[in-house]
Amino acid sequence: MADGDHCRLPNDSLFLGFDCSTQSLKATVLDADLTVVTYDAVHFDSDLPHYGTQGGVLRDPADPGRVVSPPLMWAEALELLLARLRPRVDYARVAAVSGSAQQHGSVYWKHGAAAAALASLDPAKNLAPQLAAALATPESPVWMDSSTAAQCREVEEAMGGALELATVTGCRAHERCTGPQIRKMYQTRRQVYDTTERVSLVSSFMASLLIGGYACIDETDGAGMNLMDIATREMRRDALEATAPDLEHKIGKLAPAHAVAGTLAPYFVQRFQFRSNCLVVQWSGDNPNSLAGLTLSDPGDLAISLGTSDTVFGITDLPEPSLDGNILPNPVDPKTYMVMLCYKNGSLTREDVRNHYAEGSWDVFNKHLEKTAPLNGGKLGYYYKEPEILPPLPVGFHRYVVNSSASGSLDEMVEHQINQFDPPSEVRAIIEGQFLSMRGHAERCGLPVPPKRIIATGGASSNQIILQTMASIFGCAVYTVQRPATSPGNYTHPYIYTD
Ligand code: ADP
Ligand code: XUL
């Protein structure tokens, strides 16, 4: 869009942003002053139970590492959410639509899909059924999948080793990365791979629905694939060849995160009465978009997202490749990079401990946290309900009591492994264990420790007591963006101080 066009936007313009995450699709409507006008969400398990997901995903009992979601569920959620918002939002005022999505997940479009389905959607019919025949497989492997260890090692070897791959593409081959996932599809479901015309990420899949054609993968979400050179923001031929044959044209071109992907497809214009020139801006990954949305610009600041995954991220102009973290281009500043750590055991594992030791209630959980002392009398725990990414460890709950030796020297601490703590100590152990791990790994990856301040986001950032523990473990103030409640309204204070 030319600069002058921005000025011509009517004063009453609205902007619609989505977040297609693991467990839900959320939408926020902003006005031209960036004030939140309204908010709503579709929860995949409860609102769309016919897909049978738990926590938004499907698992394979025969292969517990395999975790997928149905892309048609995301399409149906999009339509349902637009229908729910319609009584509150005058879609004719919406000037632009964009969104975030869980990173790494891959969607496989069948040859001819764009022309046959995307570009000819019938506004008299529901969206998802019209797309069913356009997908080469009804399943999208998502970021929680950990079934590609063999493919990861093959890609790393072909690229000269794990650190070499991390230097070029931003991270070693992690099992959730899209490249190894595509390689597994090529090796184990050859027919799906061969009938695939285009591979979308979840972000570009959602943008494709909105523009009625294939949308590009954006240059920041593209960094989660083990295929893109993070310095040039272009696909690497050697990485593509190490992944699967004939892949370059299946991936298509990349676009900057801020680029306009197209105008809204006639399907949405006619079905929901949007204006025909409503713009669709590239969708990107949830983590890079959080960095942009939190306006993280000081290298001394750290952001921590406590969602389905927990992520820790900051910015740097001199990224140091590591085997632990991910480096992505900064979506808002082409000269700097984003450094990120990702944990698989985030909110769902905290919920598991809450359900077992705190009567399934966050209030009880918080009371336990408040009545236990910092450092938990030496009781330390690591809780992996899912195979963990950081460090890469299998499922298991590990509890230790750490006592200093008779001499009191920290070097001579004694660890005893035990099976169970009292319930309040279980609660403190999981929270402290998670934040101590974040602090230790952040330091190793060159993130600022202690940071000047932390900005917390994600579902669990609504929990003040958890944020207080974060503040004491990191030794800094924690701020959080005021989150819209599940019902609209209440958006007065941008930040809450939670020292
Ligand atoms: P996603 O990564 O799917 O976007 P969200 O950021 O929406 O996830 O976070 C959802 C999670 O937030 C839930 O799984 C829940 O465990 C957690 N959550 C919600 N409220 C609280 C609370 N008061 N305390 C701790 N965790 C909470
Ligand atoms: C990041 C990652 C997760 C997903 C979850 O690498 O895998 O944070 O983006 O939405």
Side-chain angles (χ1 to χ4, degrees):
M1 188 195 271
D3 278 350
D5 291 344
H6 284 291
C7 305
R8 285 200 295 275
L9 283 179
N11 289 339
D12 69 346
S13 293
L14 298 174
F15 302 88
L16 172 57
F18 291 99
D19 178 12
C20 186
S21 65
T22 317
Q23 303 186 62
S24 62
L25 177 70
K26 310 176 188 98
T28 307
V29 180
L30 301 176
D31 67 14
D33 298 323
L34 303 186
T35 303
V36 177
V37 173
T38 192
Y39 164 90
D40 215 328
V42 164
H43 295 274
F44 301 134
D45 298 358
S46 51
D47 287 316
L48 300 171
H50 43 286
Y51 290 97
T53 57
Q54 281 187 341
V57 301
L58 300 167
R59 288 164 200 272
D60 186 345
D63 179 0
R66 206 170 151 259
V67 185
V68 299
S69 291
L72 292 185
M73 177 180 77
W74 300 323
E76 190 169 340
L78 176 65
E79 185 160 37
L80 178 59
L81 195 46
L82 286 170
R84 277 192 186 166
L85 284 170
R86 183 157 38 182
R88 281 176 274 146
V89 182
D90 177 3
Y91 286 137
R93 285 168 53 197
V94 175
V97 183
S98 190
S100 306
Q102 55 168 297
Q103 298 195 255
H104 314 292
S106 44
V107 180
Y108 299 80
W109 295 99
K110 218 185 255 177
H111 278 282
L118 279 174
S120 53
L121 294 167
D122 179 352
K125 296 184 181 155
N126 291 338
L127 179 62
Q130 298 188 67
L131 297 168
L135 298 176
T137 165
E139 294 172 341
S140 166
V142 294
W143 70 275
M144 295 179 91
D145 184 283
S146 52
S147 67
T148 62
Q151 289 76 19
C152 286
R153 301 296 80 80
E154 288 164 4
V155 170
E156 284 177 350
E157 200 180 317
M159 291 295 288
L163 196 59
E164 186 59 31
L165 183 65
T167 308
V168 173
T169 69
C171 64
R172 72 173 305 167
H174 292 289
E175 289 165 320
R176 69 192 190 288
C177 288
T178 323
Q181 292 289 343
I182 294 173
R183 182 166 178 78
K184 184 179 169 202
M185 194 62 86
Y186 163 70
Q187 288 179 338
T188 61
R189 298 179 68 196
R190 185 66 189 268
Q191 209 220 336
V192 171
Y193 186 78
D194 287 345
T195 51
T196 294
E197 177 176 67
R198 177 61 59 97
V199 181
S200 290
L201 295 182
V202 185
S203 54
S204 58
F205 169 76
M206 296 299 283
S208 299
L209 302 184
L210 290 169
I211 63 171
Y214 292 142
C216 297
I217 289 172
D218 94 281
E219 294 167 354
T220 45
D221 213 10
M225 302 177 83
N226 283 139
L227 294 174
M228 192 191 85
D229 184 327
I230 51 166
T232 62
R233 302 181 176 210
E234 283 168 4
M235 285 292 160
R236 283 278 296 219
R237 191 169 293 273
D238 50 358
L240 289 162
E241 280 166 8
T243 300
D246 217 13
L247 185 55
E248 190 170 4
H249 73 270
K250 290 187 201 269
I251 299 286
K253 289 193 169 23
L254 296 166
H258 55 78
V260 171
T263 51
L264 196 62
Y267 177 83
F268 296 97
V269 172
Q270 289 167 35
R271 199 164 164 88
F272 295 99
Q273 286 77 52
F274 280 91
R275 59 198 207 199
S276 58
N277 61 352
C278 176
L279 298 176
V280 180
V281 177
Q282 283 288 148
W283 284 47
S284 182
D286 47 7
N287 292 297
N289 271 357
S290 291
L291 181 126
L294 296 174
T295 62
L296 214 69
S297 57
D298 184 330
D301 285 348
L302 205 59
I304 299 187
S305 171
L306 303 173
T308 309
S309 62
D310 283 350
T311 55
V312 181
F313 49 90
I315 57 166
T316 179
D317 44 11
L318 270 184
E320 279 172 43
S322 80
L323 296 181
D324 289 345
N326 293 55
I327 298 165
L328 300 84
N330 180 339
V332 285
D333 177 2
K335 294 189 292 300
T336 64
Y337 294 84
M338 167 176 182
V339 182
M340 177 178 76
L341 309 174
C342 177
Y343 293 88
K344 206 191 281 184
N345 287 276
S347 281
L348 297 178
T349 306
R350 284 186 289 274
E351 276 178 29
D352 194 65
V353 168
R354 178 202 64 183
N355 295 345
H356 281 93
Y357 305 106
E359 299 161 36
S361 147
W362 289 122
D363 283 342
V364 177
F365 187 95
N366 287 349
K367 284 196 182 103
H368 285 348
L369 206 46
E370 282 176 306
K371 74 173 167 214
T372 42
L375 299 183
N376 216 9
K379 298 189 200 88
L380 248 175
Y382 299 99
Y383 298 76
Y384 305 130
K385 190 174 166 328
E386 304 281 343
E388 183 47 68
I389 297 166
L390 201 57
L393 286 175
V395 170
F397 284 14
H398 311 278
R399 301 167 178 90
Y400 302 90
V401 181
V402 184
N403 291 317
S404 51
S405 65
S407 73
S409 156
L410 282 181
D411 294 337
E412 295 169 35
M413 287 205 301
V414 190
E415 287 182 2
H416 302 286
Q417 185 152 17
I418 65 167
N419 288 335
Q420 198 144 349
F421 298 142
D422 55 290
S425 301
E426 294 281 359
V427 166
R428 181 162 284 277
I430 184 172
I431 296 298
E432 288 192 344
Q434 289 180 331
F435 293 153
L436 284 167
S437 170
M438 288 179 192
R439 193 188 152 123
H441 284 286
E443 199 162 19
R444 276 176 47 178
C445 288
L447 286 165
V449 174
K452 282 191 198 155
R453 59 174 186 163
I454 291 174
I455 304 173
T457 182
S461 70
S462 63
N463 187 320
Q464 294 292 298
I465 315 296
I466 290 181
L467 296 193
Q468 272 160 18
T469 314
M470 183 189 283
S472 51
I473 289 196
F474 280 86
C476 68
V478 175
Y479 295 76
T480 183
V481 177
Q482 175 90 21
R483 287 168 54 82
T486 39
S487 56
N490 247 344
Y491 310 107
T492 43
H493 308 291
Y495 293 110
I496 302 168
Y497 181 65
T498 60
D499 195 307

